[in-house]
Amino acid sequence: MSLNVQFYSMIAMVGMGAYLGMALDTYHRFLFRGTRNRLIVFATDILFWVFQALLVFYVLYLVNEGALRFYLLLALLCGYAAYQSLFRTIYKKILELVIQLVISIYRIIVKLIVIFIVKPIKWIIQVIIVILLFIYGLLIRLIRLVYNVVLSILLFFGRVCWFFVPKRVKNYLIQFKGVFGKFKNIFLTTIKKVKDLLDRRKK
């Protein structure tokens, strides 16, 4: 392995050490260990370190075809130590700033969706409901009006017809007054129930 390749390998490992420090802080920032299940934390830790190891080896493979030397491990540790001492505080502030920025953008997007999509849909649904209730009320009133008109016409013709009925027939029909009275009561009770039902529907 030539000196240029060794030099590039050391620079790459120093960079990867700094990257591991940033990745570890980012991972801890989003993991919330205190509130997570231990099994979940254990599984995510294993996946995190496996992924980081594969990524380091891939970078090393690109630089020197995967040749691992002891001084490269030292370079990796030096990069991590340099990050911890020089860049960690700055990186964590930038990370928090980015997180807060993303949260703010997310909230703005949610508010815009609520204002321009959710609220108009709710307003349209409310308008449709009001229109349907209005039409329903009109239909109920129309049915009651037709019912009253038809009933008045039938009563009027019934009285007129009764006026022209011969006296003998009237006397004969009077004998069935009790029966007609029962039918009349049944009819009036049915009409009353229908009116009550219509009134309830209207309310």
Side-chain angles (χ1 to χ4, degrees), residues 20-31:
L20 284 176
M22 291 186 291
L24 190 61
D25 284 336
T26 306
Y27 173 69
H28 287 160
R29 173 61 179 81
F30 290 102
L31 182 60

Side-chain angles (χ1 to χ4, degrees), residues 51 108 120:
F51 175 77
I108 292 173

